Amino acid sequence: MAISLVLLPSRGFAQMDYPFINVKIQNIINNNGVIACALFESEKGFPSKSLKFASTIILTQVVGKHASFKFSDIKPGKYAIVVIHDENRDGKLDSNLFGIPTEGYGFSSGAEVTMSAPSFSDAVFSYDGGHLQMSISLNY
């Protein structure tokens, strides 16, 4: 009886394995500012209106040349991610007079900037509700 009581708490408080989307950010060129990672559930506001329309935004300090983000408690579905290296911490992706970004940026699914930012459908990925690992490289 005493043995079973000792084992009860360890089973009752065991860590559960929750599903998540883990995003590793690569190609960070300096330690200035923060990296913002925004998860979108739809095309509304994608990619430029992250603060208003992203379902989840996570910020982290820049340490070294890599960063990572873990989105948990996410329902299965289709999503797209925007990553910004906000070097001066002004809450936006800075650009020059021609509209070309002067800070780092990246998108899920390898979506690229051509004449304009990629669409939601260019960056979309499917999430099945399990564990998903992805990498996004920043462009400067």
Side-chain angles (χ1 to χ4, degrees), residues 9 19 21 52 103:
I21 300 171
K52 187 171 183 180
E103 294 179 305

Side-chain angles (χ1 to χ4, degrees), residues 1 3 6 17 20 23 25 29 33 38 50 53 58 66 77 81 83 86 94-95 102 105 110 116 124 127 138-140:
M1 176 89 171
I3 293 173
V6 170
D17 192 19
F20 60 83
V23 183
I25 311 303
I29 63 168
S50 297
F53 294 105
I58 303 174
H66 303 279
I81 293 176
V83 180
D86 186 7
D94 294 338
S95 59
T102 57
Y105 61 90
S116 63
V124 75
Y127 175 61
L138 295 183
N139 301 292
Y140 289 87

Side-chain angles (χ1 to χ4, degrees), residues 1-15:
M1 176 89 171
I3 293 173
S4 65
L5 291 177
V6 170
L7 294 177
L8 182 62
S10 67
R11 289 185 185 162
F13 296 107
Q15 288 187 350

Side-chain angles (χ1 to χ4, degrees), residues 61-117:
Q61 287 289 117
V62 180
V63 178
K65 303 270 184 193
H66 303 279
S68 65
F69 297 90
K70 186 180 273 189
F71 294 97
S72 54
D73 201 23
I74 304 296
K75 296 176 189 171
K78 294 194 180 287
Y79 297 93
I81 293 176
V82 177
V83 180
I84 296 170
H85 182 184
D86 186 7
E87 295 180 65
N88 60 3
R89 298 177 187 239
D90 65 354
K92 62 181 183 171
L93 179 63
D94 294 338
S95 59
N96 64 20
L97 294 172
F98 302 105
I100 298 170
T102 57
E103 294 179 305
Y105 61 90
F107 303 95
S108 52
S109 298
E112 296 182 10
V113 172
T114 53
M115 296 301 283
S116 63

